[in-house]
Amino acid sequence: MSAPQSTARTNDGRSTTGTGARAGSLRTVLRALAYLRGYKADTAGATIALLIVSAATLATPQFIRIAIDDGIAARQPRVIVLTVLGLLGVAIVRGVFSFLEGFLAERASQGVAYDLRDGLFSHIGHLSFSFYDKVQTGQLLTRLTNDVEQIRTFAGSGIAQLTASIVMLFGTIGLLLSLNVTLTLAVLGTIVPIVILLGYFVRGIAPMFRAVQQALGKLNSVLQQDLAGVRTIRAYGREAYEDQRYGTVNTDLLDRYIVTVRAVANNFPFVFLFANIGTLAVIWIGGLQVIGGRLSIGELIAFNSYLAFLVQPLLTVGFLAAGLSRAAASTVRVFEVLDAPLEVQEVPGAVALPPVTGRVEFQNVCFRYPGTERDVLHDVSFTIEPGQTVALLGATGSGKSTLVNLIPRFYDATDGSVRIDDHDVRTVTLESLRRQIGIVLQEVRLFAGTVRENIAYGRPDASLEEVEAAARAAQADAFIRELSEGYDTVIGECGVTLSGGQRQRIAIARALLVDPRILILDESTSAVDTLTEAAIRAALRRLRERRMHTVFIIAQRVSTVRHADRILVLDNGRIAASGTHETLLRESPLYNAILGSQLEDTGDDASLAAAG
């Protein structure tokens, strides 16, 4: 019978099997247990308390032996009373130190869980956008919750119980040898098969636990997607399909749990069988020795009690090994996230970006997404002067959003440089860079809370007057005041109680409140009507004239594009044309084609005539 080989993955995605994977998993467990260093006193106290409990447990059969041989058999009531008092004292010691061990171990394990969750959340918050392009949210939630809990469970009891089990095992063997060598050798003969069975069990259970954690991650991913998209599901009548999809991953998780439970059920009955055979050997051989006068009844009873103590640490080690396998599967998944590289990070000696005027320059910029071989941007160069409004136009996939994402360093250019006021963005601190840039994306993300809290997200200390001023500039003040509690109205998760246009206007107000020198609007007015957009555009123009904002706009409407100081037309990651609306109408066939196709799609003949 051979144990199945476990499979693991290295950081570059290559798989490893067998001993190498197990060694790697063990290293990650030791790395997780290193978090206990921050709770040395609790860990040491729990271990000492458990050792005292083990010593008290080992002392119990000796009191019973003395009570039988020196008390009952010798008809000495005083000895019986003393041994009973001794057993009572042992019970009190075991109770007190068992409680102490449980309390200290739990406190240490909760500290480890806290540190892991804190480290994970902090690291996830600083990971580059490219990481989120590849990882599902449900998988991250599973690692923050279930995987951390598996590590906590093992850290809380694993080290202390392993130490106590080793002490119990060797202490019991020593006491058995002191009582009767022949019986001890007979008992050890039945223990060997138990050790072999537990060894096979531990080797086989590890990949099963990893499969369970992976299945749980898939389940959470489907659950997260369905909860976030419940309105879309209802709109298209896909409830039955989603029920089936969830049922499939739920069944897969159940099946993997069943496989794990079956592995436990198939091994431990044989463990207990050999343990019972050991008891039979003790009764048979020990009984003959008692009859022959070579062993007392008290010693026989004590020996049989120690036999149980011999099996108990072996079972504990077996269960700990199973827990180790589960913890190993979880630690691998947790440290995959903690070890994920920060592809966008500050260089050594990065300086704070001083207040800028808003001049933006791209110098021969090329960019490809991590893990791909095709450039999304090719040799892009242009300069935008302070206070200008530049519109980006192009077909879907031409690189518009990618281009503006390089300005706040959501990604780093593969080649070339992005400069703001002659500062390469890679040489300044991220906080000082992003503090001077306001961004509004087409997919608006609002948080559960009040309208005021959402607008003031970038400036929590902003006064109500400042919040209202930003809302007026974003044409949001009127509808906000009509809400039940005005600016103190609590909106649902992701702002589901608001319309798409209302969410976009709140997002624009949020960006304006931080008073950025560079404002990026990525399809940020796609959900508002043309009159509201015109009012927002006029307000932005007034703000730009007063504060010299540099504005980047990605939009498809002619009314938005034609009023820009400069229009960049992108085609397959390259700047195909650049100029004002009037210039491009005269000189760029691509601009006319894009503009004409959009106007024809809307059937807006008046706008088409105005654009021409």
Side-chain angles (χ1 to χ4, degrees):
M1 176 180 177
S2 62
Q5 285 188 322
S6 58
T7 301
R9 292 200 174 271
T10 60
N11 288 336
D12 59 1
R14 292 177 288 107
S15 63
T16 59
T17 58
T19 305
R22 287 193 293 272
S25 297
L26 181 59
R27 282 194 296 270
T28 60
V29 172
L30 294 176
R31 182 178 169 188
L33 293 179
Y35 280 78
L36 287 170
R37 293 172 183 167
Y39 309 92
K40 292 179 181 178
D42 288 340
T43 304
T47 303
I48 293 171
L50 198 51
L51 290 175
I52 293 173
V53 171
S54 300
T57 301
L58 289 173
T60 300
Q62 293 295 336
F63 280 101
I64 295 174
R65 178 187 63 80
I66 294 171
I68 293 174
D69 290 343
D70 299 336
I72 297 173
R75 301 180 183 277
Q76 294 290 331
R78 182 172 177 274
V79 174
I80 296 174
V81 171
L82 290 175
T83 53
V84 168
L85 292 175
L87 288 170
L88 178 61
V90 167
I92 293 173
V93 169
R94 288 182 59 186
V96 170
F97 283 94
S98 292
F99 165 78
L100 187 62
E101 182 273 332
F103 174 76
L104 294 176
E106 185 68 17
R107 190 163 68 177
S109 70
Q110 290 293 348
V112 170
Y114 172 85
D115 291 341
L116 282 172
R117 284 194 300 266
D118 196 55
L120 274 170
F121 187 82
S122 176
H123 191 67
I124 288 172
H126 289 85
L127 285 170
S128 309
F129 277 29
S130 58
F131 176 83
Y132 297 100
D133 295 338
K134 298 176 288 186
V135 177
Q136 295 179 324
T137 305
Q139 291 284 353
L140 293 177
L141 290 174
T142 301
R143 299 181 195 205
L144 271 164
T145 54
N146 186 268
D147 285 323
V148 169
E149 179 62 20
Q150 296 298 338
I151 298 172
R152 184 202 69 78
T153 301
F154 182 76
S157 57
I159 299 300
Q161 287 193 6
L162 181 62
T163 303
S165 296
I166 293 174
V167 171
M168 281 284 291
L169 184 62
F170 287 100
T172 300
I173 292 174
L175 289 170
L176 287 176
L177 288 172
S178 69
L179 288 172
N180 192 291
V181 175
T182 303
L183 269 179
T184 302
L185 295 177
V187 166
L188 291 178
T190 64
I191 294 299
V192 172
I194 295 177
V195 175
I196 295 174
L197 281 171
L198 290 175
Y200 277 117
F201 168 72
V202 170
R203 293 175 62 190
I205 202 71
M208 298 179 190
F209 282 134
R210 278 194 291 272
V212 166
Q213 296 301 93
Q214 290 289 348
L216 182 60
K218 292 180 181 178
L219 184 76
N220 283 338
S221 293
V222 173
L223 181 61
Q224 187 270 335
Q225 292 169 18
D226 285 357
L227 291 176
V230 65
R231 286 170 172 76
T232 304
I233 294 170
R234 298 278 178 84
Y236 287 91
R238 298 287 282 174
E239 293 92 342
Y241 168 77
E242 293 301 331
D243 286 345
Q244 181 182 6
R245 188 163 75 112
Y246 184 82
T248 299
V249 293
N250 197 20
T251 301
D252 180 56
L253 177 61
L254 175 63
D255 291 342
R256 294 186 186 278
Y257 267 121
I258 295 294
V259 170
T260 305
V261 171
R262 187 181 295 120
V264 176
N266 288 342
N267 280 273
F268 280 90
F270 291 100
V271 171
F272 291 115
L273 172 63
F274 284 108
N276 290 331
I277 291 174
T279 302
L280 293 176
V282 168
I283 299 299
W284 178 35
I285 300 174
L288 292 177
Q289 289 188 352
V290 170
I291 293 173
R294 297 189 301 275
L295 189 70
S296 69
I297 294 177
E299 289 173 334
L300 178 61
I301 294 175
F303 199 98
N304 193 56
S305 298
Y306 282 126
L307 175 61
F309 294 165
L310 185 63
V311 175
Q312 177 186 343
L314 289 176
L315 292 176
T316 300
V317 170
F319 281 113
L320 283 176
L324 173 63
S325 298
R326 178 170 294 195
S330 293
T331 54
V332 169
R333 289 162 52 82
V334 165
F335 285 113
E336 279 177 356
V337 177
L338 285 175
D339 292 339
L342 299 177
E343 294 173 355
V344 175
Q345 53 185 317
E346 295 176 359
V347 297
V351 297
L353 180 66
V356 299
T357 62
R359 186 176 188 271
V360 178
E361 183 179 5
F362 275 56
Q363 296 179 344
N364 307 112
V365 170
C366 297
F367 176 77
R368 75 173 63 94
Y369 287 100
T372 64
E373 298 180 356
R374 184 179 66 87
D375 280 351
V376 179
L377 297 177
H378 308 268
D379 197 29
V380 174
S381 297
F382 62 84
T383 301
I384 305 300
E385 297 300 333
Q388 285 189 329
T389 294
V390 57
L392 303 179
L393 194 67
T396 301
S398 59
K400 303 184 296 296
S401 295
T402 300
L403 187 149
V404 295
N405 281 334
L406 298 180
I407 299 173
R409 287 193 71 195
F410 291 156
Y411 301 93
D412 270 338
T414 307
D415 291 303
S417 65
V418 179
R419 307 181 71 84
I420 297 178
D421 282 14
D422 292 326
H423 295 276
D424 190 320
V425 294
R426 289 170 294 196
T427 64
V428 300
T429 62
L430 289 171
E431 192 274 336
S432 66
L433 169 67
R434 293 171 182 172
R435 189 176 62 238
Q436 301 190 60
I437 300 174
I439 304 173
V440 184
L441 304 176
Q442 182 179 16
E443 185 181 355
V444 175
R445 288 290 179 183
L446 301 182
F447 300 94
T450 66
V451 173
R452 178 180 178 179
E453 289 170 344
N454 273 277
I455 294 177
Y457 187 76
R459 276 188 58 198
D461 58 342
S463 67
L464 179 59
E465 290 73 20
E466 291 173 314
V467 170
E468 291 173 345
R472 283 194 294 273
Q475 302 302 303
D477 180 71
F479 85 79
I480 292 174
R481 293 188 182 279
E482 292 176 358
L483 297 176
S484 58
E485 301 294 332
Y487 283 86
D488 293 323
T489 301
V490 176
I491 59 178
E493 185 178 6
C494 296
V496 294
T497 57
L498 303 175
S499 69
Q502 289 172 333
R503 290 198 296 270
Q504 284 190 333
R505 280 177 276 175
I506 288 178
I508 293 172
R510 180 169 60 192
L512 294 177
L513 184 62
V514 299
D515 192 23
R517 289 297 178 270
I518 299 171
L519 182 61
I520 299 173
L521 304 176
D522 187 352
E523 295 282 5
S524 60
T525 57
S526 59
V528 302
D529 58 80
T530 53
L531 292 177
T532 302
E533 184 194 24
I536 293 173
R537 193 168 59 248
L540 290 177
R541 185 165 56 249
R542 289 191 297 271
L543 287 172
R544 182 164 55 89
E545 291 170 355
R546 187 171 73 250
R547 300 290 295 174
M548 291 296 289
H549 294 286
T550 300
V551 183
F552 286 81
I553 298 177
I554 299 176
Q556 303 298 342
R557 288 176 177 167
V558 179
S559 57
T560 304
V561 172
R562 69 180 301 177
H563 291 287
D565 298 311
R566 186 173 176 187
I567 301 170
L568 301 179
V569 183
L570 275 72
D571 184 31
N572 292 321
R574 302 179 187 275
I575 295 182
S578 173
T580 63
H581 173 68
E582 290 76 13
T583 302
L584 292 175
L585 279 176
R586 292 192 307 269
E587 301 177 0
S588 174
L590 177 60
Y591 180 73
N592 280 276
I594 294 173
L595 213 57
S597 65
Q598 292 170 1
L599 293 172
E600 288 171 3
D601 289 342
T602 62
D604 192 344
D605 294 334
S607 295
L608 183 59

